Amino acid sequence: MSEIFIGVDFGGTNIKIGYFDSKLKLICKTTAATKADMGPEAVVDRITQTTKKLLADNNLSAQAIQAVGIGAPGPSRIDEGIIVAAPNLPLFRNVPLRQMLEEKLSKPVIFENDANAACWGEHVAGAGKGVDEMVFFTLGTGIGGGIITNGKLVHGFADDAAELGHIITHPGGRVCGCGQKGCVEAYASASATAARATEAVQTGAKSTLKKLLDEKGEITCKDVFDHCDAGDALAKEIIEGTANALGLLCVDVLHVTGPQRIVFAGGMIAAGDLLLSRIKYYFKQHIWTLKPEPLEICFATLGEDAGIIGAATLAAQAVETKPNG
Amino acid sequence: MSEIFIGVDFGGTNIKIGYFDSKLKLICKTTAATKADMGPEAVVDRITQTTKKLLADNNLSAQAIQAVGIGAPGPSRIDEGIIVAAPNLPLFRNVPLRQMLEEKLSKPVIFENDANAACWGEHVAGAGKGVDEMVFFTLGTGIGGGIITNGKLVHGFADDAAELGHIITHPGGRVCGCGQKGCVEAYASASATAARATEAVQTGAKSTLKKLLDEKGEITCKDVFDHCDAGDALAKEIIEGTANALGLLCVDVLHVTGPQRIVFAGGMIAAGDLLLSRIKYYFKQHIWTLKPEPLEICFATLGEDAGIIGAATLAAQAVETKPNG
């Protein structure tokens, strides 16, 4: 009998599912709409059916599964496999996702926070391969992340480690959605970058973004990068602010867990070297002169597959360490 | 034959040595001057002789030692047991302290960074007992610390994790000895607290500290706490600044490793609740309102014994996991 692993990346809009062979090679993947408004039971049903169809298309049954890994949005209780609450999933309150999925599939399910699963994916197969001391940031609507120390994911006491977007880089600054002032997320996330540009234009700053705002009614983070690339001075100033905050963030996390490598992921890294080179520049501006730092700063390489790869790998590792699991 | 452990806390001024029974109970301890200006060979000799005398006074020989743990100032290469450089030990450059001591004592020696050793001491026997997710700060001339995640000390890639005094709480602010601007150490260490008070008095701020400065020629951190306690408004303002920076620091490290408990140690905690209550106050001012945080903030309980307890315990754990070590 083959021994395969399933990796699930459970998002507010889509669910990605991949099936992996016994050597954890990704064989096939699929995506289904989450339809979170239909409630937890229906969503777990859809994960089950989509998984079974993915396997059937490859002439396999659910019997072939050795274990399933799922990365889900938090806050969650990781050991118990429970989604406590999630901003994009209003119907998911204290949902025992792991247990529900185990009952449907009759297979062991391993539960992890979604950013941690993606972090683990990059660690085993991507930009952090072989790096046992690593910090992982996701730059999207918000800023999230994962931490690896001594080769292991750090969950923290209340499963709220690596809330990296809420490190304060601008004390007393912009109010964050979390209630703190000056979080890096309030400056350097995609939405904060867009918001800072919008506010500047609305308060009279000269920019080619003005016409865009007048016509479209909004400025996106991508617009800011595009206009920066095209030479707009305000857009450049906004991007410099974003990179500056991320450079400071790198200094702060370096001094906590001492990573070998910091890996940035998420939608914003599509900006490429325009962003990466400036993050590195500001890191060098802010870091001490006491001694040279061997820290490497880079972008993730697995794209949207990081979550399913990480989840499947965590599942395989869990059954390895629990032979009867 | 008895199986005892030795814990050594190697400081720039003094060396503390304790001997522990097989159950890691501290039986007897002593202190010797480091006399670092006599060089590494002489210092290692003194550690050896002081250890032998401590044992002889208790009718034991060095043969009874199972393993020795030593906490030493850094930067160091922990796995190799080498002091790379230490600000207070100018003659110690790339000194293979572990190997030298092993040769003198013919016993296994376990090497650790001094702040990590003290952190481990508080973890096994002090304010962090039973706490597998912990952050430890030492408030002295500088600010140092240690991090425990998943029940293990975090060393980081280049053994420079937990350089917690160099987290930036005041971007663009006071220049730190390390070359960065706005490090928490440049605001909230004992020397920075004294310096901020001295500068305020020198630039004309009204304070009872003025008379002290005129008479003694300097203001110490303890003076600032004493005058704050006696009602001086400037001293209170300076202490509030110190506590504010430490509260911000707690928010930042909470969002990285998610500790259950943050333990403050070092000379400054002699200020007692005058300091602790204000750190807690500012933590609450700065932390998010998203959800209540179960974080506990407290002071260390082992005082100067933390280092020898931690070092001896690490030695015992190392020989346990390496039966032939």
Side-chain angles (χ1 to χ4, degrees):
Chain A
M1 198 184 86
S2 44
E3 287 177 342
I4 66 164
F5 296 97
I6 300 292
V8 183
D9 184 0
F10 178 23
T13 309
N14 288 308
I15 295 166
K16 296 179 205 84
I17 303 179
Y19 106 72
F20 297 74
D21 68 14
S22 61
K23 296 197 164 112
L24 290 166
K25 190 180 162 208
L26 175 58
I27 305 296
C28 200
K29 60 182 176 173
T30 187
T31 298
T34 305
K35 298 189 186 168
D37 56 346
M38 294 178 69
E41 284 286 350
V43 169
V44 171
D45 263 347
R46 193 156 34 258
I47 294 173
T48 307
Q49 295 314 319
T50 308
T51 301
K52 285 182 174 170
K53 180 161 188 318
L54 177 71
L55 293 176
D57 290 346
N58 289 274
N59 300 314
L60 288 165
S61 81
Q63 277 312 308
I65 299 172
Q66 192 171 358
V68 177
I70 185 163
S76 53
R77 293 210 296 275
I78 294 171
D79 283 349
E80 298 166 71
I82 292 172
I83 297 181
V84 174
N88 297 326
L89 303 165
L91 295 179
F92 284 66
R93 290 287 176 274
N94 298 309
V95 173
L97 187 71
R98 186 184 67 192
Q99 188 194 324
M100 290 168 74
L101 201 54
E102 276 182 344
E103 282 168 9
K104 288 277 176 193
L105 286 167
S106 303
K107 294 290 175 180
V109 175
I110 281 72
F111 181 99
E112 187 49 90
N113 166 285
D114 51 3
N116 284 347
C119 173
W120 197 250
E122 290 290 339
H123 169 66
V124 294
K129 202 167 173 177
V131 177
D132 280 348
E133 306 292 335
M134 170 178 160
V135 172
F136 175 76
F137 291 112
T138 56
L139 303 177
T141 310
I143 295 180
I147 309 255
I148 295 172
T149 65
N150 294 312
K152 288 190 173 169
L153 280 168
V154 175
H155 290 138
F157 173 62
D159 288 331
D160 60 357
E163 287 285 0
L164 302 172
H166 304 287
I167 290 174
I168 295 172
T169 52
H170 293 69
R174 294 172 67 88
V175 175
C176 181
C178 77
Q180 290 180 184
K181 283 183 190 162
C183 292
V184 67
E185 178 167 304
Y187 286 82
S189 65
S191 53
T193 300
R196 285 167 44 240
T198 305
E199 288 164 23
V201 169
Q202 283 171 339
T203 52
K206 278 195 182 174
S207 168
T208 52
L209 289 164
K210 171 89 170 72
K211 187 159 170 273
L212 190 81
L213 181 62
D214 290 343
E215 286 171 7
K216 285 203 314 178
E218 66 163 358
I219 295 170
T220 67
C221 182
K222 185 172 182 307
D223 294 330
V224 185
F225 276 102
D226 288 347
H227 284 240
C228 173
D229 214 13
D232 181 62
L234 176 74
K236 178 152 176 56
E237 187 189 319
I238 297 292
I239 299 300
E240 292 293 301
T242 295
N244 179 51
L246 296 174
L248 262 173
L249 181 64
C250 289
V251 170
D252 282 345
V253 298
L254 173 66
H255 290 322
V256 183
T257 64
Q260 174 181 359
R261 202 171 294 167
I262 293 178
V263 177
F264 284 94
M268 263 173 79
I269 72 168
D273 200 55
L274 176 60
L275 179 61
L276 182 59
S277 65
R278 300 313 288 168
I279 297 174
K280 288 181 179 177
Y281 170 82
Y282 282 106
F283 172 74
K284 281 188 189 148
Q285 292 294 306
H286 293 301
I287 192 64
W288 58 18
T289 51
L290 197 63
K291 66 187 187 79
E293 276 304 329
L295 177 72
E296 300 153 359
I297 300 175
C298 67
F299 279 173
T301 57
L302 299 180
E304 297 215 325
D305 290 345
I308 56 173
I309 293 172
T313 307
L314 287 165
Q317 290 168 338
V319 293
E320 238 174 54
T321 53
K322 283 184 207 162
N324 304 317
Chain B
M1 199 185 85
S2 44
E3 287 176 343
I4 66 164
F5 297 96
I6 300 292
V8 182
D9 184 359
F10 178 23
T13 309
N14 288 308
I15 296 166
K16 296 178 207 86
I17 302 178
Y19 105 73
F20 298 74
D21 68 15
S22 61
K23 295 197 165 114
L24 290 167
K25 190 179 162 209
L26 175 58
I27 305 297
C28 199
K29 60 181 175 174
T30 187
T31 298
T34 305
K35 298 187 186 169
D37 55 346
M38 294 178 70
E41 283 286 350
V43 170
V44 171
D45 263 347
R46 193 157 35 260
I47 295 173
T48 307
Q49 295 315 319
T50 309
T51 301
K52 286 182 174 170
K53 180 161 190 316
L54 177 72
L55 293 175
D57 290 347
N58 289 274
N59 299 315
L60 287 166
S61 82
Q63 278 312 307
I65 299 172
Q66 193 172 356
V68 177
I70 184 163
S76 53
R77 294 209 295 275
I78 294 172
D79 283 349
E80 299 165 70
I82 291 171
I83 296 182
V84 174
N88 298 325
L89 302 165
L91 295 180
F92 285 67
R93 290 288 175 273
N94 298 309
V95 173
L97 187 70
R98 187 184 66 194
Q99 187 194 326
M100 290 167 75
L101 201 53
E102 276 183 342
E103 281 168 10
K104 288 277 177 193
L105 286 166
S106 303
K107 293 289 175 179
V109 174
I110 280 70
F111 181 98
E112 187 49 271
N113 166 286
D114 51 1
N116 284 347
C119 173
W120 197 249
E122 290 290 339
H123 169 66
V124 294
K129 202 167 172 176
V131 177
D132 280 347
E133 306 293 335
M134 169 177 161
V135 173
F136 175 77
F137 292 112
T138 55
L139 304 176
T141 310
I143 295 180
I147 308 257
I148 295 171
T149 65
N150 294 312
K152 287 190 174 168
L153 279 169
V154 176
H155 290 138
F157 173 61
D159 288 333
D160 60 358
E163 286 286 359
L164 302 172
H166 304 287
I167 290 175
I168 295 173
T169 52
H170 294 68
R174 295 171 67 88
V175 176
C176 181
C178 77
Q180 291 180 185
K181 284 182 189 165
C183 293
V184 66
E185 178 167 305
Y187 286 82
S189 65
S191 52
T193 300
R196 285 166 45 238
T198 305
E199 289 163 23
V201 169
Q202 283 171 339
T203 53
K206 278 194 181 175
S207 168
T208 52
L209 289 164
K210 171 89 170 72
K211 187 158 171 276
L212 190 80
L213 181 62
D214 291 342
E215 287 172 7
K216 286 203 312 177
E218 66 162 359
I219 295 170
T220 66
C221 182
K222 185 172 181 306
D223 293 331
V224 185
F225 276 102
D226 287 347
H227 284 239
C228 173
D229 213 15
D232 181 61
L234 175 75
K236 179 155 176 51
E237 187 188 317
I238 297 292
I239 299 301
E240 292 293 300
T242 295
N244 179 52
L246 296 174
L248 262 173
L249 181 65
C250 289
V251 170
D252 282 345
V253 298
L254 173 65
H255 290 321
V256 183
T257 64
Q260 174 181 2
R261 201 172 293 167
I262 292 178
V263 177
F264 285 94
M268 264 174 78
I269 72 168
D273 199 54
L274 174 60
L275 179 60
L276 182 59
S277 65
R278 300 312 288 168
I279 297 174
K280 288 181 179 176
Y281 170 82
Y282 282 105
F283 172 75
K284 280 187 189 149
Q285 293 293 306
H286 294 300
I287 192 64
W288 59 17
T289 50
L290 197 65
K291 65 189 189 77
E293 275 306 328
L295 176 74
E296 299 154 358
I297 300 174
C298 67
F299 279 174
T301 57
L302 299 179
E304 298 214 324
D305 291 345
I308 56 173
I309 293 171
T313 307
L314 287 166
Q317 289 168 340
V319 293
E320 237 174 52
T321 53
K322 283 184 207 163
N324 305 319

